[in-house]
Amino acid sequence: MKANEYDVIIVGASNAGGMAAAAASENGDSVLVIDKSGSAGYLYRDTIASTHSKAQKAAHVEIDKNELVNFLSTFAQGNVDETLLNEWADHSSETVDWLDDEVLRPHGAYMQATKDAYYESDRNRAFPSGNEVTAADGKYWEMGYGNWVIEKAEELGAEFSWRTKLEKLVVTDGRVTGVMVKDVQTNRVYQVSAKKGVILCTGGYGSNEALMQEWNPLGLKTNVYTDSQRDDGSGLVAAMEIGAAKDEQPASIVFNRGAVPVGTNAKDFYEVDLTPPNDPGYLWLGSYPMLKVNLQGKRFFNESAPYQFQMNAASKQPGYLSAMIWTESTMTDDYLKQYHTLGCSRLGFPGIFTGDEARKEVSDRLEEGLVQKADTIEELAAKLNMPVDNLSESIQRYNEMVASQKDSDFGKETYRLELVSEAPYYGAIVGGRLLATLDGLRVNTHMQVTNKQGNVIKGLYAAGNCSGGFFWGSYPDHVPGLTASHALTFGRLAGQFAGE
């Protein structure tokens, strides 16, 4: 660390933090970024939502701002600060364009817009919001572009101090004037001052089981893995210690891709993923709306829905988990294409996997015992520890409705119905993968943290997943790239406002 005083101090170097550092440095401020880990570039997300970026305009993608904002508010049952939704909608595109012009294209990469967001029912309302960070060859995302964001911030003058952890915020005469930090390697604790402000970009609390129990206890039961290994809630706690307000109800982004062993007790199983990108129990196919039943072998909801609805529905069933049932034929490319999934569950780029890669993953999970394979429904039921009669009846009833092309039980769209009638049969017990908690500190449209009375805590800002008011309950994944864009856009705004 080159000095003991800076204009702006940013805590956390991931999506929001890197953008905040670049923006504050562009203002001419002296900037210090501290991060408890040794790197953060790998954490930057590659699908970024906006409403009218240059890439979207080139692709003739049109999104009505008010329609999108009202959808997001309705999805959250109004439990959001709509002024923050408007602030994001007004500035998301300039953030995407800045990344394209200043970070990606100088390295040969570029943004391209996703043109379509197919849906047939209100339940699956979707928007073509995604801008994809695309590698020079156009074949896949440019993974690790976050390192370029950090390099850009450094070129602009920002200093990064790695393996430096926030201990607490320093307050002088009612204003945040610095941070107490600890050198992770030496355990030395010392103070660094901030003349203009401190920006918290510390993420959520998903890896802290005590905070999960306090703030999102149901999430501990419905999620079996958390992929947010850095998210210990330290920024949230530090801010609340000086009077900051936090969202009172949980919000999170969860994928239905957590395969667990048969017989798992969801109440006792919550594994922090410490080996990304080799994520334990990852089952990408889990996000496909194939037949799903509860642990008693009974179908219990419309599988065609945002990812998190599966865990929500399973929380009202015995054991908090569910089982996905499919066949060899429904894993073919033709079948997978017919589902028209969105975001990273799309088949092929801009989705994570091709059909071959998805089938390879199923094979890997089969070897690990997390996917079961059988020649008969009876054998599959036994391997899944389910009542044979219940599973057989559920599959028979489902196949009858597929043949009639009408899901008269739960109303799944016809194009997402598929027969489960030809061996070999597959099954897996599935729970949630918590990507991040999204309930955070209350902020205004200048990213200033507020107290419980709604008054600004001078000198304190927050962005990314540690800032709140933007999400509630389940994540609206049919607006692809929204969490990443929320972090990047508000990080950039926080850097600009803190430097004023």
Side-chain angles (χ1 to χ4, degrees), residues 10 12-23 33 44 98 146 149-150 153 160 201 488 491:
I10 299 163
S14 187
N15 297 262
M19 292 296 284
V33 183
Y44 285 64
W98 184 88
V149 175
I150 292 170
F160 285 74
C201 302
L488 294 163

Side-chain angles (χ1 to χ4, degrees), residues 206 208-214 216-224 266-270:
N208 187 324
E209 289 194 42
L211 290 181
M212 283 290 293
Q213 185 61 52
E214 181 178 356
N216 189 1
L218 183 59
L220 276 180
K221 300 174 183 177
T222 58
N223 293 298
V224 289
K267 294 181 181 180
D268 300 328
F269 191 103
Y270 187 74

Side-chain angles (χ1 to χ4, degrees), residues 63-82:
I63 296 176
D64 182 271
K65 169 193 164 181
N66 289 333
E67 184 180 356
L68 176 55
V69 166
N70 279 306
F71 167 80
L72 293 173
S73 178
T74 301
F75 191 92
Q77 298 182 37
N79 288 289
V80 290
D81 182 342
E82 289 192 29

